[in-house]
Amino acid sequence: MAHRFVVEADGGSRGNPGPAGYGAVVLDPATGEALAEAAEYIGTATNNVAEYKGLIAGLKAAKALDPEAAVLVRMDSKLVVEQMSGRWKIKHPDMKPLAAEARTILPAGRVTYQWIPREQNKHADRLANEAMDAGRLGRQWEPGASTAAVRERPAPEPVIPALPAEAPLAEPKAAPVGWAAPADLGTPTTFVLLRHGETALTPQKRFSGSGGGADPELSPAGRRQAEATAAALAARGTVQAVVTSPLRRCRETAAAVAARLGLEVRVEEGLREASFGAWEGLTFAEVKERHPADLDAWLASSKAAPTGGGESFATVARRVALTRDRLLARYAGRTVLLVTHVTPVKTLVRLALGAPPESLFRMELSAASLSAVAYYVDGNASVRLLNDTSHLR
């Protein structure tokens, strides 16, 4: 069945009209988990324009997570809620095109609207204010700088139109190959995917994610791998930007490559490894001995999380897909090195292939290996390389 989401959106103007911005968040209605955030400074505008812009951004974010989703929109703007619900006419010329755009994002039967008091819309309100604060400094809001609380109240169960059983996360279409490949789509955006070099835990095949407080550095072998990778990528000369997971092993690998290429490193929180909860630092055999039922469930379902609050593969896939889309927009038509981990690399490859979640267990991904995916403007994706370690030999 298709996913059910709650979208909370807000907008504001300091002057009405004046410097304006919007904020929106997509929430899991069962847990209150924030699945996506959006905010933007939009220059001089009215409160109502900013509110509609926030609504549009929130609906687009929900559609990016699942184009078949059913959505409950919660806003403290009585005007927007009543107009989008069809109970009030839209007379203002600035509002009409915005309302029309909002209605094209998802079918009307899958979107419902609910007014909420301002104090219940704090998350979106704070995002909007962050966007306006960034605009005052001449910058745009960035997700990594957000201080918006993930949840400041329990999430009431919304009334959302019932749909059939849950649908999988939307994935890029399989790209045509050979003679069938499109010739007029321009230069694709290419992600070169580099798994970090070895740490002390890598040869021991221990779970090493983003949880548990451990953040191991590269081992001597890992540093040699990073330098070898840097030399190989410098010889190819195609990488135009470097983006890395915030974890130390990736930042160290990225720094070695970027220094050789003469590029800056940008840190992207969405590229971090999955959190493995209580399994952090354990071998597969140790997890099987201590948590056999949880391990069996994890191997059998992408929705099962590791013991002790780790991330399921489904949760990681949502995070990685949002990060992918954000980076595709930022680096359109360029070749970008993403320095990350086993799960994010495999997830990007899986989504590009349209493969099922269990395919993650059927990919080999060595330390400091290179993979590559090209993304075309029509939504097609093409896997060009997987687990290349020739530069290490």
Side-chain angles (χ1 to χ4, degrees), residues 171-174 347-356 359 363 373 381-383 386:
E171 298 165 353
K173 297 176 287 184
T347 298
L348 286 166
V349 171
R350 177 183 81 76
L351 295 175
L353 293 172
S359 64
M363 299 182 206
V373 181
S382 176
V383 176
L386 180 65

Side-chain angles (χ1 to χ4, degrees), residues 153-325:
R153 65 186 188 282
E157 180 67 14
V159 179
I160 300 181
L163 292 175
E166 185 168 38
L169 186 73
E171 298 165 353
K173 297 176 287 184
V177 295
W179 290 345
D184 58 350
L185 294 180
T187 303
T189 305
T190 301
F191 289 169
V192 179
L193 310 173
L194 171 59
R195 183 190 171 192
H196 61 80
E198 287 186 9
T199 72
L201 301 179
T202 308
Q204 301 174 31
K205 296 186 176 180
R206 295 184 179 276
F207 283 92
S208 181
S210 57
D215 191 7
E217 63 182 350
L218 293 179
S219 65
R223 287 191 285 273
R224 290 193 296 271
Q225 291 169 339
E227 291 297 337
T229 305
L233 291 173
R236 297 181 191 183
T238 55
V239 172
Q240 297 167 288
V242 178
V243 182
T244 183
S245 156
L247 299 185
R248 184 175 182 179
R249 51 199 183 272
C250 286
R251 288 189 286 106
E252 291 177 345
T253 303
V257 176
R260 185 71 68 97
L261 299 179
L263 297 172
E264 295 183 355
V265 177
R266 186 184 187 111
V267 175
E268 172 55 61
E269 179 68 24
L271 293 177
R272 70 183 187 278
E273 181 57 289
S275 170
F276 294 114
W279 301 354
E280 296 280 357
L282 302 180
T283 65
F284 189 89
E286 289 170 339
V287 172
K288 188 173 184 179
E289 178 182 354
R290 301 181 192 183
H291 309 285
D294 289 350
L295 180 62
D296 288 345
W298 183 71
L299 294 172
S301 171
S302 65
K303 297 179 182 178
T307 309
E311 288 181 289
S312 69
F313 285 131
T315 298
V316 175
R318 285 195 296 267
R319 164 163 58 85
V320 169
L322 288 169
T323 302
R324 173 200 65 197
D325 294 346

